[in-house]
Amino acid sequence: MENKIINDYFNIENADFVDDIKISQKTINNVTYYRLHFTFNNKDIHEMKISFKKMVKDVSFTYKPSFLANTTYRPNWDYGNGIESKFSRCAPIFGLLNAKNEMIYSVSLSDCTHIIRMHIGVIEETLESICIIRLFDSFTTLDDGYELEIRVDDNVKPLSDALKEINDYLYKVNNIKMNITPSAYNLVYSTWYNFHQNLKQDELLEEMKLASNYGVKTLIIDDGWQTDDSSRSYSFCGDWEIAKSRFYDFKKFVEDVHKLDIKVMLWIGLPFIGKNSKHYEKLKGKYLNNDENNDTFIIDPRYKKCRDYVVSTLTRLLNSYDLDGFKIDFIDSFNLSDKNTYNKEMDYKSLETALDKLFISINNLKEIKNDLLIEFRQNYTSPVLDKSANMIRVGDCPADYKTNYSEIINLRLTTKLAVSADMTIFASSDSISQKARHLYATMFGVPQFSFVLKNLSNDDKKLLKTFSEFYLKNQDILMANNFKALGNPISYDMACSFKDNKRIIALYNTNYLCINDEDVKTTIVNLSSNDNIVIETNKKLNVQIFDAFYRLVDSLTITNKLNKINIPSFAIIEIN
């Protein structure tokens, strides 16, 4: 078939490789699920387009689960405003929001494995919203059939609620069960922004002694440990041997850090084989493509030899040095091109199937160490990939606390992994209030620090200590499942986490709160830079105001009305 209209709803295009389509639908809690079953003929699979329309009123923004997503509502012909979802990148979700930033229409897809491009845009002539789903590409490998469920929700819901429902659906339909080790929520020290590739064993051990005073329990040794080169090139990746110029006795270093009760994780650019590595010749001919700018090549996991190389490398590092985990990077570099045709040396035709096999094997490393830590990074956020990790970090946003808190929230609402902030850094010349914003912006994620601790001023050390104690004291509340956010996903207005009779609220772009609960202890962290906060209540509330060092600034009682309270430009407010 070339084009076919089904039930006056779906329009199918470029489907000449499809013999038949069967469709069924069900409605649960006012959400409609369309199940499409495709039977293929013997023609080659290529991109196929499915579209459907709806008149959606009050559209103001869009929602996409990608890092630094553009929320502009664009015309239907603007494919560049969509998302690309596949095994190693993004969940297949697209939504429309109203001016209150409520989800008013969302489409999510059951297939989190194969490449799918989707967007919802406005038809200029009719002002209808059209969802366009482009399935597959010329490299997609399937058997003689394919099934896709399309979940359509046109109920008006708070964005947080809508995303949690979609997230639960995607995990359930893909049979993903998560068991996050508690250590995934430990405070982290990262070596990237502070040292980059310039690592030295003795200096880093001294940093760990200082870090232990701030409650740090995990060290991530980033790029640099495997090479003498400091040019930030990946041309020496692939052998994954400890560079003696960096760590003259790495096993002893790990032992010394473990004595501080700190776990050790290593960065791995998992797909990379640099042209200067010994493995370059060993795996030559088994690459997907190369990154000419970095003189590195991407292994093809369809070859068992490549998968075995990755797993054996991780196993060797794990056993040789008693490591506690890996920060696995550049997962989204696995892409097919016209040169990557199938041959009989491969044991899988499908790249997605091969990647799934590879990451299942990586997940099986937990048989060696059952609390093994595996960290991914945005946009490696597919639900089917989540099963192989327990940590997901915000994409790189150095010294950008607004992006950090917004993306922490976005990840909290769309994954069940332990969400880590991007590493906190700030300029020594920044004000104390600004430094506090950088720190407390990370509080709804797992904070990661990337300071050279020995170089911090006394005030900076005191500030970091105050924040660390705040996070550790309130961790169970901050990480609670009862978590909500209000505002636009690119820069939320506020977020709140609630457990038992305690809640913590962060104010980002508003200074107004309504508090009428009985017997709830509320902590408010003001990140908005406003020098006042307005609280509306019908209760009598006792209010204490603290500065960035948690020093009491003011104490007062407010009653049944609007109350404007003066506060420092950064403040913590406690209400009983």
Side-chain angles (χ1 to χ4, degrees):
M1 67 180 68
E2 288 294 332
N3 299 289
K4 185 173 183 179
I5 305 294
I6 300 179
N7 289 355
D8 296 321
Y9 190 67
F10 292 108
N11 184 51
I12 313 292
E13 300 177 57
N14 303 326
D16 58 301
F17 58 92
V18 176
D19 267 345
D20 187 39
I21 304 174
K22 290 184 171 60
I23 182 170
S24 62
Q25 72 180 74
K26 61 183 178 183
T27 301
I28 302 173
N29 297 327
N30 296 317
V31 178
T32 304
Y33 301 81
Y34 299 93
R35 185 168 290 274
L36 282 66
H37 183 83
F38 299 83
T39 303
F40 299 150
N41 54 39
N42 58 2
K43 293 184 179 180
D44 290 338
I45 295 173
H46 51 75
E47 183 179 278
M48 174 176 64
K49 187 163 73 173
I50 303 173
S51 60
F52 48 96
K53 298 179 289 186
K54 182 177 177 62
M55 183 60 73
V56 183
K57 67 178 183 178
D58 298 337
V59 179
S60 296
F61 308 103
T62 62
Y63 171 81
K64 301 186 286 287
S66 53
F67 182 52
L68 301 178
N70 179 359
T71 63
T72 307
Y73 185 43
R74 297 287 297 153
N76 61 299
W77 45 260
D78 186 0
Y79 289 162
N81 199 44
I83 65 160
E84 180 180 274
S85 171
K86 56 183 180 179
F87 179 88
S88 58
R89 183 182 178 88
C90 285
I93 306 168
F94 207 104
L96 301 179
L97 310 179
N98 62 17
K100 296 180 180 179
N101 293 294
E102 296 170 315
M103 188 80 87
I104 54 177
Y105 184 70
S106 68
V107 177
S108 49
L109 310 178
S110 61
D111 184 0
C112 298
T113 299
H114 299 96
I115 189 165
I116 296 175
R117 300 173 179 91
M118 65 184 295
H119 76 288
I120 302 175
V122 62
I123 301 173
E124 297 170 4
E125 294 82 356
T126 65
L127 297 184
E128 292 172 291
S129 299
I130 183 168
C131 179
I132 300 174
I133 301 167
R134 293 178 291 155
L135 294 173
F136 318 136
D137 58 19
S138 58
F139 310 114
T140 301
T141 303
L142 294 165
D143 295 325
D144 57 357
Y146 173 76
E147 194 164 83
L148 176 71
E149 187 166 80
I150 303 175
R151 180 186 187 273
V152 180
D153 187 350
D154 58 2
N155 299 284
V156 178
K157 298 175 180 177
L159 179 61
S160 298
D161 294 347
L163 290 178
K164 285 187 176 182
E165 289 177 12
I166 293 170
N167 192 34
D168 288 344
Y169 162 73
L170 291 177
Y171 274 76
K172 182 178 180 180
V173 76
N174 286 284
N175 195 30
I176 307 299
K177 295 179 174 61
M178 304 299 297
N179 183 21
I180 307 301
T181 180
S183 57
Y185 296 95
N186 287 345
L187 285 173
V188 175
Y189 180 105
S190 167
T191 64
W192 183 238
Y193 291 142
N194 46 6
F195 294 111
H196 286 105
Q197 291 179 315
N198 300 306
L199 301 169
K200 295 293 182 183
Q201 177 170 333
D202 291 340
E203 182 179 19
L204 189 53
L205 182 58
E206 290 305 308
E207 282 289 292
M208 288 303 95
K209 292 176 182 177
L210 295 174
S212 65
N213 296 324
Y214 298 98
V216 167
K217 293 294 182 183
T218 300
L219 164 65
I220 295 180
I221 303 175
D222 215 298
D223 184 10
W225 61 268
Q226 78 291 351
T227 177
D228 297 322
D229 179 71
S230 296
S231 67
R232 292 169 71 170
S233 163
Y234 299 113
S235 64
F236 293 92
C237 290
D239 296 331
W240 305 114
E241 300 285 353
I242 305 296
K244 294 295 185 181
S245 63
R246 310 294 189 190
F247 295 93
Y248 54 84
D249 188 343
F250 189 64
K251 187 172 184 179
K252 176 68 164 54
F253 172 80
V254 174
E255 290 173 354
D256 289 342
V257 174
H258 280 166
K259 289 176 184 176
L260 297 169
D261 195 26
I262 296 175
K263 295 179 180 294
V264 180
M265 298 172 64
L266 276 187
W267 172 87
I268 295 283
L270 187 135
F272 291 164
I273 300 289
K275 71 173 187 178
N276 293 319
S277 73
K278 292 177 289 187
H279 277 82
Y280 170 70
E281 290 294 335
K282 294 179 182 178
L283 295 174
K284 197 170 183 178
K286 295 178 173 59
Y287 300 126
L288 289 171
N289 45 56
N290 70 297
D291 182 342
E292 295 178 357
N293 294 326
N294 288 305
D295 294 324
T296 190
F297 293 78
I298 310 301
I299 60 169
D300 188 340
R302 295 177 297 174
Y303 292 97
K304 185 177 185 299
K305 185 174 182 179
C306 289
R307 298 195 309 277
D308 288 348
Y309 146 79
V310 170
V311 176
S312 64
T313 297
L314 297 179
T315 302
R316 170 178 57 80
L317 290 167
L318 192 60
N319 287 329
S320 297
Y321 302 109
D322 191 24
L323 295 174
D324 302 288
F326 299 99
K327 171 182 177 176
I328 297 181
D329 213 349
F330 295 104
I331 298 170
D332 57 354
S333 298
F334 292 108
N335 296 298
L336 290 173
S337 69
D338 292 332
K339 299 177 182 178
N340 305 135
T341 54
Y342 172 76
N343 64 63
K344 292 184 178 179
E345 279 191 74
M346 301 174 179
D347 55 348
Y348 291 105
K349 291 183 179 180
S350 165
L351 175 63
E352 293 82 6
T353 303
L355 283 171
D356 191 35
K357 179 70 172 178
L358 171 61
F359 281 95
I360 287 172
S361 297
I362 291 173
N363 192 48
N364 289 341
L365 293 175
K366 292 174 183 175
E367 295 175 3
I368 300 174
K369 183 166 284 192
N370 61 14
D371 60 346
L372 185 72
L373 295 169
I374 299 291
E375 183 194 81
F376 295 158
R377 169 172 60 91
Q378 280 179 305
N379 281 314
Y380 325 144
T381 50
S382 163
V384 294
L385 189 60
D386 285 358
K387 65 189 177 187
S388 298
N390 37 40
M391 303 164 68
I392 181 75
R393 180 177 64 81
V394 168
D396 293 6
C397 53
D400 181 356
Y401 76 89
K402 286 183 174 288
T403 295
N404 216 351
Y405 74 66
S406 293
E407 296 300 338
I408 287 169
I409 294 169
N410 286 330
L411 286 172
R412 283 286 301 269
L413 298 176
T414 55
T415 181
K416 297 183 187 298
L417 299 175
V419 174
S420 290
D422 189 37
M423 295 79 74
T424 302
I425 54 173
F426 49 64
S428 59
S429 58
D430 283 346
S431 66
I432 288 296
S433 293
Q434 182 72 355
K435 292 173 180 176
R437 291 185 195 103
H438 280 291
L439 289 168
Y440 285 84
T442 71
M443 68 183 185
F444 288 124
V446 178
Q448 295 197 10
F449 308 139
S450 201
F451 305 111
V452 180
L453 294 173
K454 67 179 181 181
N455 293 341
L456 292 180
S457 69
N458 288 335
D459 276 352
D460 291 348
K461 292 174 183 176
K462 186 177 179 181
L463 183 65
L464 182 57
K465 183 73 170 177
T466 302
F467 169 71
S468 300
E469 290 175 349
F470 175 88
Y471 173 79
L472 294 171
K473 175 185 175 182
N474 297 292
Q475 188 181 48
D476 60 332
I477 306 169
L478 293 166
M479 297 297 120
N481 289 330
N482 191 353
F483 175 76
K484 297 181 182 295
L486 297 176
N488 193 279
I490 61 172
S491 185
Y492 287 93
D493 293 332
M494 62 182 295
C496 176
S497 196
F498 195 104
K499 185 174 182 181
D500 300 328
N501 65 335
K502 298 177 182 178
R503 70 178 159 210
I504 297 176
I505 299 171
L507 300 181
Y508 305 118
N509 293 298
T510 183
N511 67 337
Y512 168 81
L513 270 178
C514 181
I515 300 177
N516 290 318
D517 314 72
E518 295 283 356
D519 301 322
V520 175
K521 181 178 180 180
T522 301
T523 299
I524 302 166
V525 179
N526 176 46
L527 294 161
S528 69
S529 78
N530 288 308
D531 59 4
N532 63 75
I533 183 173
V534 177
I535 298 177
E536 182 177 356
T537 184
N538 57 16
K539 308 292 182 186
K540 180 179 178 181
L541 301 176
N542 298 314
V543 179
Q544 289 184 306
I545 302 168
F546 300 86
D547 67 7
F549 297 112
Y550 205 68
R551 297 177 300 204
L552 184 64
V553 174
D554 198 1
S555 181
L556 63 154
T557 299
I558 60 177
T559 53
N560 186 13
K561 58 179 180 178
L562 281 171
N563 301 269
K564 182 178 180 181
I565 304 170
N566 292 326
I567 57 174
S569 59
F570 173 85
I572 298 174
I573 301 106
E574 294 190 353
I575 300 175
N576 292 299

